Amino acid sequence: MTHSGQKPSLGAGQIWNMSFGFLGIQIGFDLQNGNVSRIFQTLGAEVDELAILWIAAPMTGLIVQPIIGHLSDKTWMRFGSGYARRRPYFLVGALLASLALFIMPNSPALWIAAGTLWLMDASLNITMEPFRAFVGDNLPDRQRTMGYAMQSFFIGAGAVIAGALPWVMTNWLGLSNVAPEGQIPQTVHWAFYLGGAALLAAVAWTVLTTREYSPEDLARFEDARRDALGAAGTVPAATPRSAAQFRAGGIGWIAAGAVLAVFVMVARGDPRPAFLGGIELAKDLYVLAALLAGFGVIQLIAAALRGQGRDDSGFMEVVSDLFAMPKTMRQLAVVQFFSWFAMFAMWIYGTPAIAEYHFASPDPATRGYQDAADWWSLLGSVRNGLAALAALGFIVVAARFHRCRLHAVNLLLGAAGFAGMLLIRDPGLLWIPMVGIGIAWASIVSLPYAILAGCVPAEKMGIYMGVFNVFIVVPQLLAATLLGFLVTNLFGGAPIYAMAIAAVSFVLAAGATLLVSDGEAAGQA
């Protein structure tokens, strides 16, 4: 595509096409996030079961994203007159995700809906993960904040469309949002059908209107970037983790999982230990114990492979890169952990919280609950519309302010928004908290990625984006296993207090952001 040393800047239209697929991806994600709890409850799930049912989403992300990142780094094929590296994954994932969106509202039973969530989330992750690396591949450092902000704009726009669909179909098109007990309303059916079509169309637009650099071009650009930045542009090579270190870590994590499992088993026994008082440990904590032990097993496998000198496998590359993350990436991981824990709390408990606290209608079979669900979906459109506008503002503001300080301020605005959901009882005024949460959301899906893209080597952009997303998935898994326990035992099962937990988590994320070393921003200052 080019024979110059420096990666050239792209025009606004090219960046628009490059990011347009995220419009469809986010329509899919937001239909999932805004309606799956509603579908689960309609099919018979209790409020305290929602978190564990939602575990499908982060589990698939944990498995799929590093694998797809690694594979897309290694994929090079001819596509028309150029090369394709990330785009084949865009298209395959979009086809599968669209299929899942058509299946989900037709689920006849809870277990089928839960299984479809696995398929839907895995497919959306196959599509989404390479999109993050796509921007890093094709844009120079000076344009990456613009690129990720443009993605954030389409994330907001897609979420507006997805959030408004059920409400529009009820109030403008006259479709019923009430169905016989155990059946999904027609508004949800048609929202998912239209969302599946839009997802496939948007991703196909990006696939057909964009190009990718050849391996030789990318290698030349990376050399030129390092030469221009000098020592600051070189990521120090980490000392490889030895087989003994992997083995010790594996044993430690397995032991931690076993101890937690035994503790939960004893605590749930009859009679229950007196020291627990009135606290009841949920069986969901067994999943957390399994996750701890599973991470230990991964390290034991890595120990065996390293001991045999089999370091060239994809598995070893992913695991080694996980333990060899650059300093900035490790710092951002803490920020992502607390940021996404808060967002997952909102996605799990948003609908039941609004229905019970603001509409006094906790029963999913009532019209009041369905009206609350539609209102929450519409509020999601407000929140995400504001996020889209905020993303456009970041393109201008991020060039003038330190990105880490800007991100911290945005997260504090989000914390204020979550607190406002408890303080405001009139559902008609809930758009006010959405302002802060929308700005924070736009920041979460743009600024950390812009910072990250400048600190990882180009040849590992995909795998590091995948590993980075592990720190989105891990807090989601913890939320799925711990939120039900916290809401039940600390707040008497009232789902609105999940928003209080989210507010605290955002404050912690803001504090962690101020400790991040943004090397590129420092170099430009």
Side-chain angles (χ1 to χ4, degrees):
M1 282 177 68
T2 182
H3 298 286
S4 63
Q6 296 286 342
K7 188 180 296 183
S9 297
L10 298 184
Q14 293 170 297
I15 297 175
W16 175 281
N17 289 338
M18 186 187 305
S19 304
F20 188 74
F22 247 105
L23 177 72
I25 294 171
Q26 194 58 34
I27 288 174
F29 266 122
D30 223 69
L31 283 170
Q32 171 184 294
N33 295 336
N35 294 279
V36 166
S37 287
R38 176 186 193 173
I39 291 172
F40 284 163
Q41 285 192 282
T42 300
L43 295 175
E46 299 295 332
V47 169
D48 59 359
E49 296 174 331
L50 290 177
I52 196 64
L53 287 169
W54 266 90
I55 202 170
M59 278 295 294
T60 52
L62 184 66
I63 297 168
V64 168
Q65 292 195 23
I67 293 174
I68 295 300
H70 170 74
L71 292 176
S72 69
D73 277 343
K74 305 296 184 183
T75 298
W76 294 101
M77 62 178 65
R78 300 296 299 186
F79 188 85
S81 60
Y83 285 87
R85 186 185 192 190
R86 316 291 183 186
R87 288 177 293 165
Y89 297 91
F90 300 169
L91 193 55
V92 171
L95 287 167
L96 293 173
S98 297
L99 175 64
L101 285 165
F102 277 85
I103 294 172
M104 175 61 84
N106 293 291
S107 301
L110 182 60
W111 69 269
I112 294 178
T116 303
L117 178 59
W118 282 81
L119 172 62
M120 186 187 307
D121 205 81
S123 304
L124 289 168
N125 276 294
I126 290 171
T127 305
M128 183 196 70
E129 198 285 330
F131 257 99
R132 297 295 192 188
F134 192 51
V135 169
D137 289 343
N138 289 288
L139 293 180
D141 289 345
R142 60 188 174 277
Q143 284 193 306
R144 281 174 177 160
T145 297
M146 178 187 292
Y148 288 112
M150 187 68 77
Q151 282 191 353
S152 183
F153 169 76
F154 282 116
I155 288 171
V160 168
I161 295 170
L165 278 174
W167 187 90
V168 167
M169 290 180 181
T170 299
N171 293 277
W172 291 3
L173 302 182
L175 294 179
S176 176
N177 71 344
V178 179
E181 185 174 352
Q183 295 186 28
I184 311 301
Q186 283 300 305
T187 53
V188 177
H189 276 265
W190 282 102
F192 274 69
Y193 299 157
L194 292 174
L199 189 159
L200 187 57
V203 171
W205 178 269
T206 291
V207 170
L208 296 174
T209 61
T210 58
R211 301 177 67 188
E212 297 183 71
Y213 289 113
S214 70
E216 296 77 18
D217 280 336
L218 285 176
R220 185 165 58 253
F221 295 150
E222 181 66 6
D223 289 342
R225 186 185 75 89
R226 289 173 177 170
D227 290 343
L229 292 175
T234 303
V235 178
T239 302
R241 195 173 175 86
S242 68
Q245 289 174 311
F246 275 126
R247 190 176 303 109
I251 293 171
W253 283 95
I254 291 173
V259 169
L260 177 58
V262 171
F263 177 74
V264 174
M265 182 176 64
V266 172
R268 289 176 56 83
D270 189 16
R272 193 165 53 192
F275 69 86
L276 288 175
I279 296 177
E280 181 178 352
L281 296 186
K283 61 181 179 296
D284 301 358
L285 293 175
Y286 283 124
V287 177
L288 179 58
L291 292 171
L292 296 176
F295 185 54
V297 169
I298 288 172
Q299 293 188 66
L300 289 184
I301 295 173
L305 291 175
R306 179 138 293 170
Q308 297 170 12
R310 296 167 59 186
D311 288 346
D312 56 349
S313 67
F315 175 86
M316 280 304 299
E317 184 171 351
V318 171
V319 174
S320 297
D321 286 338
L322 175 64
F323 285 94
M325 294 184 295
K327 177 184 176 182
T328 298
M329 187 173 173
R330 294 196 302 270
Q331 294 168 332
L332 284 170
V334 179
V335 177
Q336 294 294 82
F337 177 90
F338 289 113
S339 300
W340 286 86
F341 189 91
M343 296 305 298
F344 208 58
M346 182 188 72
W347 290 328
I348 293 173
Y349 288 105
T351 297
I354 296 303
E356 179 182 294
Y357 192 71
H358 297 90
F359 283 77
S361 300
D363 184 354
T366 63
R367 184 175 184 86
Y369 180 95
Q370 296 299 333
D371 286 342
D374 282 352
W375 185 243
W376 177 242
S377 185
L378 186 61
L379 286 171
S381 291
V382 173
R383 179 179 68 246
N384 289 294
L386 291 165
L389 295 175
L392 295 178
F394 294 161
I395 295 174
V396 177
V397 174
R400 303 177 182 177
F401 296 94
H402 193 284
R403 291 183 297 201
C404 292
R405 288 193 287 271
L406 175 62
H407 190 49
V409 170
N410 294 336
L411 290 170
L412 291 175
L413 290 174
F418 280 125
M421 292 181 67
L422 282 85
L423 299 175
I424 295 173
R425 296 303 297 264
D426 182 353
L429 296 177
L430 285 176
W431 64 269
I432 299 173
M434 297 301 105
V435 175
I437 298 172
I439 292 172
W441 174 236
S443 194
I444 288 168
V445 295
S446 57
L447 295 183
Y449 292 95
I451 297 169
L452 174 67
C455 78
V456 299
E459 66 273 12
K460 289 184 175 289
M461 187 70 70
I463 180 59
Y464 272 126
M465 286 292 176
V467 169
F468 189 56
N469 284 330
V470 167
F471 299 101
I472 296 173
V473 171
V474 169
Q476 292 180 4
L477 289 170
L478 289 176
T481 54
L482 289 178
L483 276 174
F485 167 77
L486 294 174
V487 169
T488 298
N489 290 285
L490 297 183
F491 304 110
I496 190 63
Y497 288 101
M499 305 304 115
I501 296 172
V504 172
S505 193
F506 262 0
V507 170
L508 294 173
T513 302
L514 297 176
L515 303 177
V516 173
S517 303
D518 185 357
E520 181 188 330
Q524 293 173 346

